[in-house]
Amino acid sequence: MKPAAAPDPLAQLTEIRAIMERSSRFLSLSGLSGVGAGVVALLGAAAGHFYLQSQYPSEYGPAGYSHLVASTEPERQAALPFLLLLAGGVIAAALLVAFFFTQRRTRRAGQTLWSGPARRVAVALAVPLVAGGLFCLRLYLGGDAGMVIPGLLVFYGLALLNASKYTLDEIRWLGLTQIVLGLLAMLQPGWGLLYFALGFGLGHIGYGLLMYNRYERTGAAAQ
């Protein structure tokens, strides 16, 4: 009878490291949730564009958002209910999409969605997002509407950087992308909706497709 083969120390260390990562980091984020959130953001940007264009028509082209940036206080107040409703709808729809796909992935992996690492990710995201949302609302009410979308992008990027300690490393690069787009949007406040679509829309879609192909597609997941 042959003696049992000695365990491979390197394999054991790799397994221990994987177990520790699963217990301390939330690794079940679905790439499809990013794609879905990006599509929702693009639809929200389109709705905002058509609304503002209908409120501030111009013979020189799509100048609705540019007009809002330079608008008077009564005009901003009149547009605020629709913008808040639109923002709330986009956030709610994006969260529902993210919840659906991420829960589906965790179930397939036999894991629990609302685990300790997931709670840490949620808190890490929530603090900068809530602070940033209130800050941007105050900017809008104070007459600096052009800085709202740059502020949203920057605060969202900071939230992703903060949460990247507890989840996939790729989240960090998405966060840095949002911050860079927010800083660029500060230089062109009249193009805020375009940067919104680039960051929250195409940025999420690109990230989601990358994550899906890397971690969830059948061939990649089996590697």
Side-chain angles (χ1 to χ4, degrees):
M1 184 175 181
K2 294 183 179 180
D8 184 358
L10 182 58
Q12 288 183 324
L13 288 174
T14 302
E15 183 177 358
I16 292 172
R17 180 181 178 184
I19 293 173
M20 292 179 65
E21 280 197 345
R22 286 195 296 269
S23 64
S24 62
R25 307 179 77 188
F26 184 64
L27 304 178
S28 296
L29 284 176
S30 172
L32 294 178
S33 66
V35 175
V39 171
V40 169
L42 288 178
L43 293 175
H49 166 74
F50 287 118
Y51 169 79
L52 293 173
Q53 190 65 13
S54 68
Q55 296 299 306
Y56 312 117
S58 172
E59 60 180 316
Y60 301 109
Y65 186 79
S66 298
H67 185 101
L68 180 67
V69 169
S71 62
T72 63
E73 182 176 354
E75 290 175 321
R76 290 194 305 275
Q77 293 289 346
L80 183 59
F82 173 82
L83 295 177
L84 288 177
L85 181 63
L86 178 63
V90 168
I91 292 171
L95 288 176
L96 285 174
V97 169
F99 174 81
F100 172 79
F101 285 111
T102 301
Q103 184 184 47
R104 188 178 70 168
R105 186 181 179 195
T106 55
R107 282 181 176 176
R108 288 178 176 176
Q111 300 171 354
T112 303
L113 177 60
W114 195 239
S115 59
R119 288 192 291 272
R120 286 192 287 271
V121 170
V123 172
L125 285 171
V127 173
L129 288 179
V130 172
L134 294 175
F135 181 80
C136 291
L137 179 60
R138 183 64 185 88
L139 284 177
Y140 184 90
L141 295 175
D144 204 353
M147 291 296 104
V148 170
I149 288 180
L152 291 175
L153 287 166
V154 169
F155 274 100
Y156 181 57
L158 293 174
L160 292 177
L161 285 178
N162 195 37
S164 66
K165 303 188 294 290
Y166 309 112
T167 186
L168 299 170
D169 291 333
E170 288 83 359
I171 289 288
R172 180 182 300 109
W173 297 108
L174 179 60
L176 290 172
T177 300
Q178 304 293 338
I179 292 173
V180 170
L181 287 173
L183 295 176
L184 291 175
M186 290 175 59
L187 304 177
Q188 296 178 302
W191 293 87
L193 272 181
L194 173 62
Y195 283 101
F196 181 95
L198 288 174
F200 293 109
L202 297 182
H204 275 119
I205 292 174
Y207 157 81
L209 291 175
L210 175 65
M211 292 300 95
Y212 179 78
N213 288 323
R214 180 171 294 179
Y215 297 113
E216 299 174 62
R217 198 163 47 88
T218 303
Q223 292 178 356

